[in-house]
Amino acid sequence: QLAESGGGQVQTGGSLRLSCTASGRAITSHTMAWFRQAPGKEREFVGASWRSTGRLYYKDSVKGRFTISRDNAKNMVYLQLNNLTPEDTAVYYCAADLQLIFSSMRIAEQYDYWGQGTQVTVSA
């Protein structure tokens, strides 16, 4: 199971830190990703930490503003959101998968495990 926390409402330019707590299995061997879904839009890839290397990958529009980190010892993944804009308003989801192939990393349907999401609202 995955559980996100840390969402909230901030003004443009503000910051938030989202947390994802995994229970039931170790995340060490999992690709851990963040997706988001805005009202009326499809769920989109935000970024991921690849399972074997921990290497980080991001959606272009969040590069330099968002940072993923993972603490395998605590079974947690984080998403630091900086310099937020209203376009970042969405429900943010944590996702995990053990056997994901690299080319599917940005495809939501390829992930087996999901959290319930946490709302991030950025006001102008």
Side-chain angles (χ1 to χ4, degrees):
Q1 287 186 331
L2 301 174
E4 303 93 338
S5 61
Q9 183 168 356
V10 298
Q11 293 185 330
T12 296
S15 298
L16 286 171
R17 188 192 193 207
L18 308 184
S19 299
C20 173
T21 303
S23 59
R25 59 176 63 223
I27 67 170
T28 307
S29 299
H30 290 70
T31 294
M32 302 300 298
W34 289 92
F35 286 78
R36 66 185 181 186
Q37 188 165 19
K41 295 187 177 181
E42 293 186 352
R43 193 168 297 189
E44 66 174 2
F45 176 82
V46 174
S49 171
W50 185 248
R51 64 175 182 271
S52 57
T53 63
R55 185 171 178 177
L56 303 175
Y57 300 86
Y58 297 98
K59 174 181 172 65
D60 285 346
S61 65
V62 307
K63 286 181 181 177
R65 300 189 300 122
F66 293 6
T67 304
I68 292 172
S69 59
R70 62 193 294 169
D71 187 334
N72 289 334
K74 294 183 178 180
N75 237 28
M76 295 189 68
V77 181
Y78 307 95
L79 180 64
Q80 178 68 41
L81 313 173
N82 294 330
N83 195 20
L84 285 161
T85 72
E87 288 69 35
D88 296 316
T89 294
V91 177
Y92 283 70
Y93 297 91
C94 177
D97 198 275
L98 182 61
Q99 297 179 320
L100 191 73
I101 61 174
F102 186 78
S103 59
S104 297
M105 179 175 58
R106 299 170 186 262
I107 303 173
E109 291 78 6
Q110 297 298 315
Y111 286 79
D112 285 339
Y113 306 102
W114 289 87
Q116 81 288 351
T118 185
Q119 177 71 47
V120 171
T121 303
V122 185
S123 57

